[in-house]
Amino acid sequence: MKKKLIAGNWKMNGNTASNAALLQALVSASASLSGGASGGASGGASWACRAAVCVPAVYLAQARALVQGTALELGAQDVSAHAAGAYTGEVSAEMLQDLGCRLVIVGHSERRQYHGETDALVAAKAQKALAAGITPIVCVGETLAEHEAGATEDVVKRQLAAVIHTNGHCISEIVVAYEPVWAIGTGKTASPEMAQQVHAVLRAQLRAATPNADRVHILYGGSMNAANAAQLLSQPDVDGGLVGGASLKAPDFLSIIAAAG
Ligand code: 13P
């Protein structure tokens, strides 16, 4: 069985001092589980699940220095759909790779909503990440209005279809995150049954596209916290979490990691 994946999305939060404190707390918790402050000779993996932090791009170098050789994986929050060149302000997949990123979030609802990102652009970003050897965490999810109109399945299938269409046989290399927009930062969570229902729809869509669909992690995101994580993560198609607010507090994030064990 694949290990669950718990990824923290710090969004636009942090500074050098708070990042160092948070990462040191996470790393030392992992090291103490593996039997020593140094994390053992290999810096060994200590958690039963995979754990990652997706930090603001300007702090990737700082975070890399603190997590290198530990169980904590490094990720980014966005990537350019272009390879290189005259795209002021953009960060390419190769740059992320150069900085040690293994993961990058693409198509977060905040980028779709505030930056006008379309399904096609999100698919192109996923493609650039894959080409650089970085796993894209492709976010899908319906708004409150779409939820209330009963359009949830249509929306998430349309969003994932664009990524499948563009990425073809590489699709088993992505991670999908189901993040109902109405649950993000609101304290409202999809019930475990509701999350499972949507995850099962996404799994079926992946199965139609690849024989390796069961390898794909489908994460739940949206007010996941220390209290509700275990129940959400117990669902058969919930392979982990994409955690916003609770990933900024070491004890909360560590509780969610423990719940995924
Ligand atoms: P919250 O956990 O703060 O609701 O955020 C979820 C999210 O958007 C993760 O990408």
Side-chain angles (χ1 to χ4, degrees):
M1 217 177 74
K2 60 184 179 279
K3 287 183 176 184
K4 292 200 191 293
L5 170 61
I6 302 297
N9 174 8
W10 289 5
K11 308 193 180 183
M12 196 171 71
N13 292 293
N15 56 49
T16 48
S18 67
N19 300 341
L22 177 51
L23 290 172
Q24 277 156 4
L26 298 175
V27 164
S28 67
S30 126
S32 68
L33 285 176
S34 64
S38 66
S42 62
S46 60
W47 291 308
C49 67
R50 287 174 60 195
V53 285
C54 298
V55 311
V58 290
Y59 294 125
L60 282 168
Q62 182 201 11
R64 180 195 204 177
L66 290 164
V67 307
Q68 213 161 24
T70 76
L72 206 51
E73 297 174 28
L74 186 61
Q77 298 176 10
D78 186 30
V79 64
S80 178
H82 303 285
Y87 301 101
T88 302
E90 294 259 78
V91 175
S92 73
E94 285 196 7
M95 293 172 185
L96 297 181
Q97 204 267 344
D98 190 25
L99 280 168
C101 286
R102 293 183 58 179
L103 300 154
V104 62
I105 297 169
V106 297
H108 192 280
S109 60
E110 287 150 14
R111 296 213 57 89
R112 292 180 191 261
Q113 186 179 350
Y114 306 133
H115 300 273
E117 294 199 2
T118 61
D119 294 341
L121 182 68
V122 173
K125 289 183 170 196
Q127 191 174 38
K128 281 286 180 292
L130 287 167
I134 298 173
T135 303
I137 301 176
V138 176
C139 298
V140 300
E142 82 286 8
T143 62
L144 181 61
E146 290 163 340
H147 183 72
E148 287 174 344
T152 298
E153 292 186 11
D154 288 347
V155 170
V156 299
K157 282 163 79 173
R158 188 203 74 224
Q159 292 172 329
L160 183 58
V163 180
I164 292 173
H165 175 75
T166 303
N167 292 281
H169 66 275
C170 294
I171 204 66
S172 61
E173 306 303 317
I174 73 167
V175 167
V176 179
Y178 169 53
E179 298 207 312
V181 178
W182 48 269
I184 294 176
T186 58
K188 291 185 193 145
T189 322
S191 68
E193 297 73 25
M194 211 189 283
Q196 168 57 28
Q197 196 180 327
V198 179
H199 283 224
V201 166
L202 295 167
R203 182 83 64 201
Q205 192 177 3
L206 289 165
R207 281 203 183 114
T210 170
N212 298 318
D214 290 354
R215 263 201 235 153
V216 177
H217 284 82
I218 306 179
L219 314 182
Y220 170 79
S223 299
M224 183 180 269
N225 58 40
N228 62 27
Q231 264 207 315
L232 285 159
L233 293 167
S234 71
Q235 298 299 310
D237 286 300
V238 178
D239 305 311
L242 185 55
V243 185
S247 73
L248 297 171
K249 298 178 201 131
D252 294 32
F253 195 52
L254 289 167
S255 296
I256 296 172
I257 289 172

